[in-house]
Amino acid sequence: MMSKSYTNLLDLASGNFPVMGREKKRLPRVMTVPGVISELDDDQANSVSSDVPSSIIQDRIIIVANQLPVKAKRRPDYKGWSFSWDEDSLLLQLKNGLPDDMEVLYVGSLKVDVDANEQDDVSQLLLDKFKCVPAFLPADILSKFYHGFCKQHLWPLFHYMLPYSATHGGRFERSLWEAYVAANKIFSQKVIEVINPEDDYVWIHDYHLMVLPTFLRRRFNRLRMGFFLHSPFPSSEIYRTLPVREEILKALLNSDLIGFHTFDYARHFLSCCSRMLGLEYQSKRGYIGLEYYGRTVGIKIMPVGIHMGQIESVLRNPDNEWRVKELRRQFAGKTVLLGVDDMDIFKGVNLKLLAMEQLLRQHPSWHGKAVMVQITNPARARGKDLEEIQDEIYASCKRINETFGGTGYEPIVFIDRPVSLSERAAYYAIAECVVVAAVRDGMNLTPYEYIVCRQGVSSSDTNTDFDGPKKSMLVVSEFIGCSPSLSGAIRINPWNIETTAEAMNEAISMADSEKQMRHEKHYRYVSTHDVAYWSKSFFQDMERTCRDHFRRRCWGIGLSFGFRVVALDPNFKKLSIDHIVSAYSRSKNRAILLDYDGTVMPQTSINKVPSPTVISTINMLCADDKNSIFVVSGRGRDSLGKWFSPCNKLGIAAEHGYFMRWSADKDWQICGPCNDFGWIQIVKPVMQQYTESTDGSHIEEKESAIVWHHRDADPSFGSCQAKELLDHLESVLANEPVAVKSGQFIVEVKPQGVSKGLVAENIFTAMNENGRQADFVLCVGDDRSDEDMFEIIGSAMSSGVLSSNTSVFACTVGQKPSKAKYYLDDTSEVINMLEALAEESDCSPLEFGTVSPA
């Protein structure tokens, strides 16, 4: 049975939805207090709290990943399963960095197939003994989800491989995407079964579950949720080729904190958000955040580390010392270069072997001495590309050994099987250098493991390392996540075989003192930035990002992957028409200030002339002698004067208040302090220079201001040019009486002392001086310039220009953060509200209804 929320989420995907399989019995929900919790209904998509509120606050974190950190094995009698912790799993190791009293619950799938009739028993066993909640995926969904969308689409794309042909990488298939969404839905159901949303944190891991945040946020608006991507995030040029690019971006933005290993990966993600969603990030006190519908989505940059305790435990094991001695005997008199990689098309194993071949060819002195030990773990993916790489690797090993090998000497020792950490540690101990030639890799912890193993342990009775100073050397690809943190490594472009070979020669030929200094530098970093440090740092940032969750008012809007949560101040509420009409009817002196574009005229409208309804409504309001009505806009006075010519009693403030008139029969007044516009001759050539060099930009000249627009330019370049232009203009106009302002896709130069806030202040002051202090104020606008009007109202009440008993209705258009106390959803609601006020107005033509300045 498929829930409605699932079908809604797949609105964007046409075709047949995958079959979810038969409905299974749910796990009992885990609670922090005893009680009975009713069965959750998938259709209650707007729930924001748990069914039974907890009286005992106990923080708990739910770790969600594709696979649980447990090993499963069939019992010898085939009656049931036996389970044990997977000590190599990062998910298990990260517990060391979390608070000691924090309960950790895991949600994920198993690496084995469990029969349907065993799943309930296995689920209960894992929950009771391991605090793990397994997600069982139907076979058809699992294949399309993991081997299909994850491994054929996301994994290659995130590693910069585009599907140029049907046989190269695999073309996008809608059915695989639907399976990906279906699998994420199943994971979300398992989380929902055990979560207490008011007390729990949720930490989602990796690219398998990138749309899971939307499922969870849709159900629990205030859920504290983080996501960490362990793979690279590609540049926007690559990512935007993904047909479901926006769906995934918007889903990730439903998290509170998104983590990446390196700044490059984070920068690419932010660039995608800018280019595809129009979102710009801000950096405050070292923290990067994206403003997204009133929520600040944090961006965390922190490379993961290794588990120091686990490696040191292996090094103290007597078996390790025995293995090291055996390997030293095997490679006596040889200089060992070591590679440890998965069998994967992006690990660059074939390039590494070619570099070793080049090393032996260019430096014959290493014949019979240098040995490349390449450990290759079994492939986790499959496909024609992988088979071709495997064939090339085997052929290279054979060719190099036949060409340069001899009696008792093989330059390539290829180990093509799973190798445990204890066995790897022995190889690390004897290796003079570790070479990582991956063409793209999210992190790669092999260099970190190598450094710790070369350091050995401090125990006096056990020493797995060689005598003398601790030293190590690293040759690492510049395209892997750990490269920036290893400043002492020799960085390479693995595609350049010649320079990689020279780097390997440099590494094994370097003086021991230099190797020792580089090793010490690396060990200081690796030993202090371990997996516990990483998880502690991420969790602390998640706590900080989610601090205001329960203070703000939140609600979900949008369908399918357009769903997002709007978070606003608790005092911010929708304007009630009944409430404002009641206050309007009781008042005697009213000030009504209306923005134009986006307030009474939709931003998307091509024809900007006000409709007959707007003209009629404004005339009805103006006919009431208790009203002073103004349109306050950034548009020019000619356009506004022409459009509102039927409204004889309407006041107009044009160009943000530089020009102002109190009615149609009054002259335009200049409200700015500057009548000399000589500065335009300075500004215009500068703006023209930036326009010529920024494709898609243009200049708008007004009577009192000049504006540089870059909305149609490349987002990144346009933003960069705008910052440069702002600095340039501030420098050349330092002694001019003007203000240089940046806005959304604009840089504007205008006279000082001109703003919509000053317009409002002048109107309130004029009414007060004429003995008609406003007892009702309505101020409506939709953009940043209107915030000045909302802000000035508070100042006017403090200064006595407005009474403390004045009924004030500062209203923004759209649900977004604002200094206004009220909001209306769109221009149609604004017009409906004005029509309701007009109906309450006294429209008898008694006397002129606006207040002219004395």
Side-chain angles (χ1 to χ4, degrees), residues 210-214 217 225 227 239 245-258 260 269-270 272-274 276-281 289-293 295-299 561 563-566:
M210 289 196 294
V211 300
L212 179 57
T214 288
R217 185 67 69 192
M225 179 167 47
F227 179 93
Y239 179 79
R245 59 191 189 181
E246 291 188 10
E247 290 91 323
I248 290 177
L249 282 182
K250 290 176 180 177
L252 288 175
L253 289 171
N254 276 315
S255 305
D256 295 300
L257 182 66
I258 305 173
F260 302 92
F269 174 77
L270 294 170
C272 289
C273 290
S274 172
M276 296 169 206
L277 303 179
L279 303 176
E280 297 297 332
Y281 74 91
L290 278 167
E291 289 296 324
Y292 189 59
Y293 291 94
R295 295 170 49 244
T296 300
V297 180
I299 303 298
F561 285 107
F563 177 84
R564 64 273 188 197
V565 166
V566 176

Side-chain angles (χ1 to χ4, degrees), residues 46 97 102 116 137 164 202 400 441 455 494 579 675 704 782 803 812:
N46 294 321
M102 173 165 277
L137 303 181
Y164 289 114
V202 176
I400 295 170
D441 206 351
Q455 179 71 17
H579 178 43
N675 291 321
S704 67
D782 77 306
S803 168
T812 188

Side-chain angles (χ1 to χ4, degrees), residues 600-616:
V600 296
M601 172 59 62
Q603 291 280 15
T604 55
S605 177
I606 297 175
N607 182 6
K608 295 296 185 180
V609 178
S611 66
T613 300
V614 170
I615 295 295
S616 173

Side-chain angles (χ1 to χ4, degrees), residues 51-241:
D51 299 306
V52 175
S54 171
S55 59
I56 303 173
I57 297 177
Q58 177 185 349
D59 280 343
R60 182 178 66 171
I61 190 166
I62 300 175
I63 308 292
V64 193
N66 180 44
Q67 292 184 337
L68 292 171
V70 295
K71 296 178 180 178
K73 189 165 61 173
R74 267 285 186 194
R75 289 177 179 168
D77 57 4
Y78 287 92
K79 293 180 180 179
W81 295 85
S82 61
F83 297 96
S84 61
W85 286 115
D86 182 358
E87 300 292 341
D88 294 331
S89 173
L90 174 69
L91 305 178
L92 184 63
Q93 295 171 357
L94 65 79
K95 289 174 63 176
N96 290 1
L98 300 176
D100 294 336
D101 59 346
M102 173 165 277
E103 181 185 359
V104 179
L105 193 69
Y106 294 101
V107 175
S109 63
L110 292 168
K111 299 178 184 178
V112 295
D113 293 328
V114 179
D115 292 339
N117 58 359
E118 298 178 298
Q119 289 178 2
D120 286 346
D121 293 336
V122 166
S123 296
Q124 196 62 53
L125 174 65
L126 288 171
L127 182 62
D128 293 342
K129 294 191 174 181
F130 295 89
K131 293 185 179 179
C132 290
V133 180
F136 299 107
L137 303 181
D140 58 334
I141 290 182
L142 175 61
S143 177
K144 291 182 178 180
F145 157 66
Y146 184 74
H147 294 292
F149 194 75
C150 288
K151 288 300 181 182
Q152 288 183 28
H153 291 323
L154 290 181
W155 181 257
L157 187 77
F158 280 24
H159 289 74
Y160 288 74
M161 180 177 174
L162 292 174
Y164 289 114
S165 67
T167 58
H168 181 79
R171 294 280 168 79
F172 178 83
E173 294 182 33
R174 180 66 58 176
S175 63
L176 301 185
W177 162 246
E178 290 170 358
Y180 181 83
V181 175
N184 277 248
K185 174 67 175 178
I186 294 173
F187 278 90
S188 74
Q189 290 170 339
K190 292 302 177 182
V191 174
I192 290 170
E193 287 174 0
V194 297
I195 195 170
N196 184 346
E198 293 180 349
D199 298 335
D200 293 348
Y201 290 88
V202 176
W203 187 357
I204 303 168
H205 289 264
D206 223 2
Y207 66 97
H208 313 89
L209 303 173
M210 289 196 294
V211 300
L212 179 57
T214 288
F215 284 111
L216 297 179
R217 185 67 69 192
R218 188 180 187 88
R219 187 63 180 267
F220 307 113
N221 291 347
R222 291 187 176 89
L223 182 63
R224 298 175 291 186
M225 179 167 47
F227 179 93
F228 196 94
L229 182 67
H230 293 274
S231 75
F233 194 93
S235 70
S236 62
E237 292 297 310
I238 298 293
Y239 179 79
R240 66 183 182 180
T241 63

